[in-house]
Amino acid sequence: MHGWAGKILDVNLTTRAIQTRALDETSARLFLGGRGLGARLLWDEVGAGIDPLSPENVLIFTTGPLTATGYQTSNRFSVSTKSPLTGTILDANSGGYWGMQFKRAGYDALIVRGRAETPVYLEIKPSGITFHDAQTLWGKRVRATTHALGQNNHKRNVLCIGPAGENCSRIAAIMNDGERALARGGAGAVMGSKNLKAIVVEGNTRPEIVNQELFKFMLYETRKLLRASPLTSQALPEFGTSVVMNIVNTIGALPTRNFQQSQFEAGRAEAIAGETLTEKYLVKNAACWACPIGCTRISKTARGEGEGPEYETLWAFGAQCGIDDLPAIIEANSICNDLGLDTISAGSTIGCAMELTERGLLDSDLRFGRADLLAPTLEAMGARRGIGAELADGSARLAKQFGAPELSMSVKGLEMPAYDPRGMQGQGLLYATSNRGACHMRGNMLGLEVLGLPKLIDRFQVQGKSSFVILHQNSAAAIDSLVICKFTNMGVAEEYFARVLTAVTGIPYATGELIRVGERVWNLERLYNLREGFTRADDTLPPRLLNDAVTEGPSQGWVAKLEPMLQEYYRVRGWDAQGVPKPRKLKELGLDSCVVQ
Amino acid sequence: MDERIYEMFREIGRDLYVADMVSSHGGNMSIRLGDRVVIKRRGAMLGRLKPHDLIETGLEKNDSGVALASTELLIHRTIYQMTPALAIVHCHPRSAIAFSLSRDEIVPIDNEASYLLKKVPVIWEEFASGSPEMAKHLAETLAQYKIVMLRGHGSFAIGQTLDEAFHWSSTLEESCQIAVAAKIINEPFLEYRGMSEGYAKW
């Protein structure tokens, strides 16, 4: 096998047994790696009804066939587990250096199972794999832990949880290389429940590439395309992901005050946009390993310096909370990174708490616009202290507890990101059907409906929208299985990725076959959720978006027209009217052995 | 039919005719709308499309629409079933057709097409373009390339939108016109592209 390391590392924290087994070649071909391989392994490992925070759940860290090859953005890796936030299948992926280093350690996947009696960390080195006592690290924040364990970007890389993960906050992230996040769905809580503080990796192998000539040509062409695209060569390096803040606000799709409005008032979106961030607080941009784009922000305020914030974070603590105090948002982002909290869920949950308070359902000081309360609220969430204890498990549990579940702006329990589906109809269908809950990284209609990538389509069109959503969901699943960064896809089409995969593995993959891998992954994830008891009723949006039309701005009068899109979506997916994949579809994808009782 | 869909067909159809990429009644195009296909009516003129010239039918299932649809419906359906395409433009670009008569592939020498297309395969079948054999062959090739030439006939381009498929079509024809002009000038070619040997192997 070329491209894959060919080995899976299996670690049992309860017994401290360490095993290595061969990667199944068929699974590798069908699911590639990353999210796809993670889903395939999780299907067998974690059956229906398992408590996500019990020792029976597993964490599966995966790389892909492109990881560490040196192809542009081939730094990423993935974690798969059963989500303690949503109860669905979960994968989250991250950039930086850790994934590259783990692949160089000679593994395609690491399965962590069981629960350590006391806190430990795991060290994976060419000389061996060892458990270390982590009792002195327990309680430490992410930056301190990362530093204490000897983070060195190109040699030794640290992945860890912060206090939020230790306290099993269901919106806790796993952090790597200090500031990067496997953010969504609460994987940090799973790691905390296992008493696993960190995983340190050192590697010294290099992936073999079968067709060097083609690989070099693809590197050359990809570099050319990324440099030619204004998005990847100018917008992202100069302004980061928040370059889209003003664009999304202008079209009336920027959710504001817990999605009560779809536009932030004049001047207020600008105050938290990428342009302002760059002008006032940017120290420099930075890049993950093998990335020529460099969208990472290094920002500095009077209170400190750190990576970020991303667009979604600026929105979550900004428009979602009615806040335009950029230093306060930068600080909130920094606190989340250090506590190990998902910024989207944290910000959205605070926004939900603000609305609950303003409606008299929650007794707190949290009100829209209270930038001064962001930092203390986040600290309380990480420590599960006071009001923070109510917010630490996300908005769905919070809103339900205080009698207004409809005020959680989430799908399947995962907080929605920074696009209002009423102004981007396809995005609504995407959120409703995303397997890990509302997500903008499981396909994103921003390109087609707003940016014109590859070409602009009507954002209010309903008929036929499912085709676009499905194509982008499948494509995203394939890219997540390679694993590379989706921003590469802003300048480089899937046909390039198929050829790079061919060059690396020696296995011919046509563009259509690569997309088919994504379809296979998507369907397997769907089967996983069905096995957990999810139904058609879970493929929905918060009532506010379905019933309350936008009252002003460019999306005025629109609600999310989900139902006709959803019916069409099921048909096009080859699923029945209840959203269950038909036997013919499963056979076509080679998934007929995955049976849901 | 959604007015916006008609507008899209009308504009691209008109552009194809004005650009001399189809004859009065030649060429066709379609989009995939979920499990439905919208395709030009048989015999309709791309340059003068009216709302009733757009025929909606099933992607897999037949209905009365097949009686009205383009004769190349089978090809369009097969392409949608075998590739990620959401739109197809079929036209008759003259210079590209001329090149297809003597080559098994068209490798652009101009910058734009080198950048966007790399290489365009030329395929042929003994049977007519509406045959199942041709449909399968074409769809298999389009699983790897975004535009393909049928020898002596025309191009099939795929994309997420008609706009995108038209982009590949017009890029190919422009490239072939440049190649013809370069042949007429008949002076030694000065390579200006890095790693250009990679295009022929695409």
Side-chain angles (χ1 to χ4, degrees), chain A residues 213-214 216-218 220-221 224-226 228-229 448 453-458 460-468 471-472 491 493-496 499 509-513 515-516 558 568 571-572 584, chain B residues 1-2 4-5 8 31-36 38 56 60 81-86 111 114-118 140 142-146 160-161 163-165 167-168 193-199 201-202:
Chain A
E213 186 188 358
L214 177 59
K216 283 179 185 165
F217 180 66
M218 297 311 301
Y220 180 84
E221 286 294 308
K224 199 165 75 180
L225 286 161
L226 292 177
S229 161
L448 278 165
L453 280 175
K455 300 284 188 273
L456 195 64
I457 63 170
D458 193 315
F460 295 117
Q461 179 187 325
V462 170
Q463 188 191 7
K465 200 51 93 51
S466 68
S467 304
F468 294 103
L471 176 61
H472 283 256
E494 288 81 353
E495 62 173 326
Y496 288 75
R499 284 174 168 81
Y509 280 92
T511 312
E513 283 176 280
I515 302 289
R516 181 54 66 98
W558 282 89
E568 184 186 83
R571 287 199 309 272
V572 179
R584 178 183 160 196
Chain B
M1 184 71 60
D2 190 318
R4 285 167 292 202
I5 292 173
M8 191 168 55
I31 59 171
R32 177 179 172 173
L33 289 179
D35 55 351
R36 309 288 288 168
V38 178
E56 184 178 330
E60 299 191 25
Q81 286 160 7
M82 294 178 65
T83 77
L86 297 180
N111 182 61
S114 300
Y115 181 79
L116 293 174
L117 307 179
K118 308 290 187 287
E140 284 171 349
L142 282 169
Q144 299 182 69
Y145 298 88
K146 51 198 173 198
Q160 293 185 41
T161 60
D163 194 352
E164 192 179 22
H167 189 185
W168 311 144
R193 304 162 299 176
M195 299 192 79
S196 59
E197 64 280 1
Y199 298 127
K201 296 174 184 169
W202 185 253

Side-chain angles (χ1 to χ4, degrees), chain B residues 42-54:
Chain B
R42 187 179 63 256
M45 293 187 281
L46 275 186
R48 297 185 184 180
L49 287 176
K50 304 289 186 296
H52 63 262
D53 288 330
L54 302 191

Side-chain angles (χ1 to χ4, degrees), chain A residues 560-573:
Chain A
K561 296 188 174 181
L562 179 64
E563 187 54 32
M565 290 193 290
L566 191 61
Q567 288 178 17
E568 184 186 83
Y569 177 93
Y570 288 161
R571 287 199 309 272
V572 179
R573 276 263 178 226

